[in-house]
Amino acid sequence: MTTPTTTALDWSALTPAERDEAIAEANERLEGAPAAEVVRWAVEQFGDDLLVASSMQDTILPHLFSAALPGVKVLFLQTGYHFAETLQTRDEAARRLPITVVEALPRQSVAEQDEEYGEKLHDRDPNLCCFLRKVEPLARALEGHAAWVTGVRRVDAPTRAGTPVVSWDDKHDLVKVNPLVAWTDDDVEAYQAEHDLPRNPLVAQGYPSIGCGPCTHKVAPGADPRSGRWSGKDKTECGIHT
């Protein structure tokens, strides 16, 4: 297996062509590499200038990155609609791991949004609700950073099957790193068990894909894990990865 480069680039100084070449080289080196190797590459390249996004469905990314970069900034999109269990998982991760939780807040509270758009916008226009409470806050949180890290996996959904390890995020104008992209559900379980990580109890209760409370439902055994998200609506993504 080829070892990732240890030479940190000045990504802001690269031309688009140079940047694309660097990303292609990174993917060639990191495809099939252990997640910890991808993490080391990201830390070597971007250091404190990266944000690790976590929905707190699990705490694998916070654990991986805090081992390589103690105090790493972990971004949590505080939508105001999270399950209590998700917030408890976030708080437990903050207590047990050497991370700095950074909350991205919507411009409006739930009450203010209800006043402007009417109650239960998530039922009437889930795309707009996701934009207001996830997509736009994420964009503001990523401003000024060189890279962000996500837990996207190819097995999550057909829309994610072709996700690379490293890509250029045109929407936010920075590098996007997906260390767990090739992981299976068994890989996720094995890592959590091996390291005794804080877990979101909803997963064991039939919620294999956890988002906001109003738009997340239990999934029947053997069903598509994301079928519990926006059930009954023509929607499969919140918009932060599309």
Side-chain angles (χ1 to χ4, degrees), residues 24-240:
E25 178 186 347
N27 277 308
E28 182 178 355
R29 291 172 178 262
L30 296 172
E31 180 64 41
E37 205 164 293
V38 180
V39 169
R40 284 195 296 272
W41 177 86
V43 171
E44 288 165 357
Q45 290 296 319
F46 306 107
D48 291 325
D49 205 16
L50 59 77
L51 278 175
V52 177
S54 177
S55 67
M56 295 300 163
Q57 175 163 319
D58 60 61
T59 57
I60 293 172
L61 283 181
H63 182 263
L64 276 166
F65 272 86
S66 64
L69 185 65
V72 64
K73 292 174 288 186
V74 173
L75 180 64
F76 180 73
L77 298 178
Q78 175 52 282
T79 66
Y81 283 119
H82 283 296
F83 290 99
E85 291 87 346
T86 299
L87 301 180
Q88 291 163 5
T89 304
R90 175 204 60 191
D91 294 345
E92 185 179 0
R95 286 193 300 269
R96 289 178 51 185
L97 301 175
I99 62 176
T100 302
V101 176
V102 178
E103 287 198 338
L105 298 172
R107 295 187 185 277
Q108 296 177 310
S109 67
V110 171
E112 290 169 339
Q113 179 175 295
D114 287 350
E115 183 176 354
E116 179 170 350
Y117 296 96
E119 294 184 0
K120 297 185 177 181
L121 179 64
H122 45 75
D123 289 348
R124 294 178 286 104
D125 192 342
N127 288 326
L128 177 57
C129 190
C130 283
F131 176 81
L132 295 172
R133 311 207 72 76
K134 286 187 175 183
V135 177
E136 195 276 335
L138 172 67
R140 283 189 283 110
L142 293 179
E143 288 178 357
H145 290 85
W148 71 302
V149 179
T150 86
V152 168
R153 297 187 296 135
R154 292 169 182 155
V155 299
D156 286 338
T159 54
R160 301 180 177 187
T163 303
V165 180
V166 183
S167 63
W168 178 254
D169 185 340
D170 287 308
K171 184 189 296 185
H172 302 110
D173 200 31
L174 77 176
V175 176
K176 184 177 182 181
V177 186
N178 306 297
L180 311 182
V181 71
W183 279 28
T184 65
D185 292 344
D186 288 342
D187 293 330
V188 169
E189 174 57 32
Y191 190 90
Q192 292 182 107
E194 178 183 356
H195 298 283
D196 188 27
L197 297 186
R199 293 175 179 243
N200 191 319
L202 291 173
V203 175
Q205 297 171 24
Y207 294 84
S209 180
I210 302 168
C212 292
C215 297
T216 304
H217 304 282
K218 286 186 177 182
V219 172
D224 179 352
R226 288 184 67 83
S227 63
R229 303 287 295 277
W230 307 286
S231 181
K233 295 181 171 62
D234 184 21
K235 181 176 174 65
T236 59
E237 296 279 354
C238 66
I240 65 175

